[in-house]
Amino acid sequence: MSHQLPTRLVAQIVQAQFPSLAPADVVHLGEGCDSEAFEVNGQWVFRFPKRAEIERQLAAESCILSALAEQAPLPIPRFSFHGQPSPLFGRHFAGYPKLPGVPAIHFGPDSLPLLELAPALGRFLEFLHSFPIETAARCGVPEQRIEALADEVRADALDDFHLVAEIAPEASVKWRSYLEAGFAELGPARPTPVLVHNDFAAEHILYDAATQTVSGIIDWTDIALSDPAADFSGVLHWGGEPFLDTVLSSYAGHVDERSLRYARYLAACRGVADVAFGLQTQRGEYISAGLRALRLCAGSW
């Protein structure tokens, strides 16, 4: 996947709408399925949506992050620049102050003090999951049924599983068996949703190596009203059950076995997606993270 917006064009877009940033020194940071991210002048991160529905999500994200930032126990983006559609770029876009740190996916779990990071993550998830859902709904945050999410990622994982089988044939039979049979054991979702990041994985958790702390939570494009399992799955994907147990020791919300079953299943499906993304983009850190998640979450099946 090659990025579509040249940095030269991004500089023109930013300078035209925000003259105070001229001359804009632009560096391409990365690209996901929904947006491209660029660093501007070493101080700002600008996100450019790829599709119209992501543009709408960006508006909801801007609103809810402004509300969350007032009391969030960890740094989160707060949009400072709100770009308008123009002949240079036909969608709304946004920019925010760059947070310190490096996405934790660039570090192997064994090289990080995971157990020391866990309390901060537990307190953050407790804050997020207890945030008033009425406020989130007014910002346009959508509701997402966890059953529908699990069904969607299951289908995608089974479609892409041949890629996993090619690079890990020794474990692929057991892992595929879990993906095929585990869905039937999930059961009904909880009746009351909470506010979730919905992509709470290592690539969206910033780590400051100098202070050995979590320095920010980024990329809130998928924020939703859903089951807390959606966020627990990212913790499992990263460090497995011992890590999740330590995170939850600093989390006062109610956690039941059903949520944990969903979290484990979602994490395994995401593992397949990460392998596919890593192969497509030649990003070895995603391949490693995906295989690790499958070992942690589907390996005991």
Side-chain angles (χ1 to χ4, degrees):
M1 183 187 301
S2 59
H3 63 274
Q4 300 172 357
L5 287 175
T7 55
R8 183 176 64 254
L9 176 58
V10 171
Q12 293 174 338
I13 296 168
V14 170
Q15 289 170 168
Q17 298 202 28
F18 309 109
S20 64
L21 298 181
D25 180 22
V26 177
V27 176
H28 184 256
L29 288 178
E31 176 181 12
C33 296
D34 298 329
S35 301
E36 290 187 79
F38 298 84
E39 179 187 286
V40 176
N41 296 343
Q43 296 181 296
W44 310 96
V45 173
F46 276 78
R47 294 236 316 276
F48 290 82
K50 292 183 174 182
R51 303 182 302 281
E53 65 268 25
I54 307 305
E55 184 182 13
R56 293 190 292 271
Q57 290 173 8
L58 194 65
E61 184 181 350
S62 175
C63 175
I64 191 62
L65 288 180
S66 180
L68 288 171
E70 298 292 341
Q71 298 180 4
L74 288 173
I76 61 175
R78 190 167 185 174
F79 294 175
S80 305
F81 298 99
H82 302 272
Q84 302 299 311
S86 74
L88 293 175
F89 185 74
R91 301 189 184 97
H92 292 83
F93 61 97
Y96 58 85
K98 183 182 178 182
L99 298 176
V102 177
I105 193 170
H106 294 292
F107 302 88
D110 293 340
S111 67
L112 294 176
L114 280 188
L115 297 184
E116 285 74 19
L117 302 180
L121 296 175
R123 290 189 293 270
F124 182 83
L125 288 178
E126 179 186 345
F127 159 78
L128 183 64
H129 295 169
S130 61
F131 189 82
I133 61 173
E134 298 82 5
T135 301
R138 285 196 296 271
C139 281
V141 175
E143 184 168 351
Q144 181 180 59
R145 300 293 296 173
I146 197 73
E147 303 101 323
L149 175 61
D151 192 33
E152 177 184 340
V153 299
R154 171 183 180 272
D156 290 343
L158 291 175
D159 284 345
D160 289 336
F161 195 81
H162 64 281
L163 299 172
V164 173
E166 290 173 5
I167 60 177
E170 72 285 351
S172 62
V173 173
K174 179 185 291 187
W175 294 347
R176 186 178 181 96
S177 176
Y178 173 67
L179 296 177
E180 290 176 336
F183 182 78
E185 299 181 355
L186 296 178
R190 60 186 287 158
T192 304
V194 300
L195 183 64
V196 297
H197 180 282
N198 211 24
D199 203 359
F200 196 74
E203 67 262 37
H204 300 144
I205 298 172
L206 298 180
Y207 175 70
D208 188 332
T211 60
Q212 295 190 321
T213 59
V214 175
S215 56
I217 310 295
I218 60 172
D219 197 343
W220 293 73
T221 303
D222 294 321
I223 191 168
L225 299 175
S226 189
D227 192 286
D231 287 341
F232 299 153
S233 69
V235 178
L236 278 174
H237 178 286
W238 189 9
E241 292 188 17
F243 184 41
L244 179 61
D245 289 343
T246 309
V247 168
L248 293 179
S249 68
S250 297
Y251 177 91
H254 175 67
V255 182
D256 57 23
E257 287 300 319
R258 180 208 46 79
S259 278
L260 296 179
R261 286 196 301 272
Y262 267 99
R264 183 185 181 211
Y265 190 79
L266 293 172
C269 290
R270 184 193 174 91
V272 178
D274 279 350
V275 170
F277 179 78
L279 291 171
Q280 181 183 18
T281 60
Q282 298 183 348
R283 299 279 296 274
E285 69 271 27
Y286 281 89
I287 298 172
S288 297
L291 293 176
R292 183 176 64 247
L294 284 162
R295 286 195 298 269
L296 290 171
C297 299
S300 61
W301 177 253

